Amino acid sequence: MKFSGINLLDELQRAELDDLRDVFNSRQVKKGAIIFSPDQEENLVFIVETGKVRIYLGYEDKEFTLGILQPGDLYSTHAGCFVQALEDGSLLTTDVQSVKRCMAEVPLFNRTMVRVLGKILQNSFSVIGGLAFKDIYARLTGYLYKEAQSSGVPVDGGIELELDLTIEQLSQILGATRQTVSTLLNNMVREGLVVKRGRSKWFIPDLKSLETAVNP
Amino acid sequence: MKFSGINLLDELQRAELDDLRDVFNSRQVKKGAIIFSPDQEENLVFIVETGKVRIYLGYEDKEFTLGILQPGDLYSTHAGCFVQALEDGSLLTTDVQSVKRCMAEVPLFNRTMVRVLGKILQNSFSVIGGLAFKDIYARLTGYLYKEAQSSGVPVDGGIELELDLTIEQLSQILGATRQTVSTLLNNMVREGLVVKRGRSKWFIPDLKSLETAVNP
DNA sequence: CCTGTTTTGTCGGATATCCGACAAACAAAT
DNA sequence: ATTTGTTTGTCGGATATCCGACAAAACAGG
């Protein structure tokens, strides 16, 4: 999933943004490391260069994943959430001061910033809608359906889907318990909605029937 | 509650924003009217001039209130949610095209825009956190506590709170059923946490004990 | 190949919340 | 004062989801 729908790395290639590139510092991150947490008040803006990065909320011993950033995604740390590297990778970071300066000087950056924020906002509204209106089964099928559409590969008349998530991680995206998600998924397997094909690899024989499971 | 934390009406008074004011058209709205809905694709940006306006998500026959805008709050309609007038009032509206033009020409507007979006985003994260981590009782006490702090009036050694919401409206803010909220509230009354003082008027004898109810 | 660690499946009891239903209480209008 | 409509309180059954627990399975490293 492209979290914000806009690839900032591409944007940075534009000639108009020459001076913008200099503002960012590259920073290596190691798999599993928590890069930012809500308590530290240093405000940074960063773009994912390589690797995957998870944005999540934490409360006591529970976690809720808001989204997983991929190369090209931009994020700001002053939004009160945790940021964790899911793989070894690198970020382009800069502080908020520089961003403000850039916004004044580079109008294009400005528009992009607003666009990214708008996308993230839209995404969080759909998360709220899911949590408020739908049960876990609907959220699960909905998630699989969306992923199948955006990153599934057509194979054997069906769709193959590489999620690259453990059940636990998936449950944190859905806002549910590991056990519940595990049970629901296996129910879906028994009903033939999905077929398991190895570690976090799924085959969806008929996308249509998955869709009707989402909206009965 | 100030939804975005920034009063755009004040900002518009600034001399630098003379030409910005001309971009907005005033529009009257009647109580109860649905001003925008997600299906219409006309993208507008508006500022509440007078009255109250409710932003909410809808799904089948359920509704979830994201926030209630008050004079000075800015919002954009292309975020996939409903906008309803809670009272007779007026909005300053403009289309997205003009906003884009303004953003290019008036840097201050730009920064404000980003700031507002950031605030709204932060708010929706806290909504997600509530839905994902807390039960309804915690959300209810938390809401009352926050409201008491921000808009409560100290009286008789306690705090008086005018919510101006029916139980049904409150339940839509909390993401729960009317019945559940009603029952929980009456439990709180029995425990002496809150005292009912007429239609949507509450008295909190001891804010401290309400706070411990939020975080036991 | 063996061994420790991570991931997954499943069960059964506890419980928060929903849902339908109904009557009481309240407010507004005639 | 009477009617009408809205808001509130409460009950009891249905159910989705959590939680703790445990073992099977899968994986990784030596």
Side-chain angles (χ1 to χ4, degrees), chain A residues 145-213:
Chain A
Y145 182 70
K146 219 176 50 185
E147 288 299 308
Q149 282 191 313
S150 64
S151 66
V153 185
V155 170
D156 306 340
I159 290 184
E160 195 160 63
L161 186 56
E162 174 87 57
L163 275 188
D164 199 23
L165 293 172
T166 69
I167 303 273
E168 173 120 51
Q169 290 172 324
L170 179 57
S171 73
Q172 288 171 339
I173 292 176
L174 300 175
T177 320
R178 177 189 67 78
Q179 292 98 312
T180 307
V181 174
S182 170
T183 309
L184 290 179
L185 254 175
N186 284 42
N187 290 350
M188 290 176 69
V189 169
R190 274 175 218 113
E191 288 161 13
L193 273 175
V194 294
V195 181
K196 184 156 192 183
R197 288 202 175 168
R199 65 189 255 84
S200 185
K201 221 172 181 174
W202 301 90
F203 177 72
I204 298 162
D206 182 25
L207 197 59
K208 268 272 177 275
S209 59
L210 180 59
E211 189 186 356
T212 60

Side-chain angles (χ1 to χ4, degrees), chain A residues 59 75 79 110 121 125 128 133, chain B residues 59 75 79 110 121 125 128 133:
Chain A
Y59 184 74
Y75 216 77
N110 222 319
L121 196 57
F125 283 177
I128 293 176
F133 299 133
Chain B
Y59 183 73
Y75 216 77
N110 221 318
L121 196 56
F125 283 177
I128 293 176
F133 299 134

Side-chain angles (χ1 to χ4, degrees), chain B residues 30 35 49 62 65 67 76 99-100 111 142-143 150 165 177 190 192 201 213:
Chain B
K30 282 197 299 266
I35 309 169
E49 203 171 21
K62 290 173 209 163
T65 300
S76 159
V99 170
K100 279 195 181 142
R111 261 222 308 284
Y143 181 80
S150 64
L165 292 172
T177 320
R190 275 175 217 113
K201 222 171 180 174

Side-chain angles (χ1 to χ4, degrees), chain A residues 34-113:
Chain A
I34 289 170
I35 309 169
F36 305 112
S37 66
D39 39 296
Q40 60 191 120
E41 77 300 338
E42 107 181 293
N43 284 351
L44 293 177
V45 171
F46 67 90
I47 300 171
V48 178
E49 203 173 18
T50 60
K52 283 187 191 174
V53 160
R54 177 171 77 112
I55 310 289
Y56 68 100
L57 302 175
Y59 184 74
E60 289 167 6
D61 59 342
K62 288 173 210 161
E63 297 180 357
F64 181 84
T65 300
L66 288 162
I68 294 176
L69 306 189
Q70 301 194 333
D73 280 331
L74 173 140
Y75 216 77
S76 161
T77 67
H78 69 296
C81 39
F82 293 87
V83 180
Q84 180 188 36
L86 289 183
E87 309 171 349
D88 290 1
S90 60
L91 310 180
L92 295 175
T93 70
T94 186
D95 61 307
V96 170
Q97 295 312 319
S98 311
V99 171
K100 280 195 181 144
R101 202 152 11 86
C102 284
M103 294 212 306
E105 291 165 12
V106 188
L108 179 62
F109 182 64
N110 222 319
R111 263 219 309 283
T112 308
M113 199 75 187

Side-chain angles (χ1 to χ4, degrees), chain B residues 40-45 76-79 94-97:
Chain B
Q40 60 192 121
E41 78 300 339
E42 107 181 293
N43 284 351
L44 293 177
V45 171
S76 159
T77 67
H78 69 296
T94 187
D95 62 307
V96 170
Q97 294 312 319

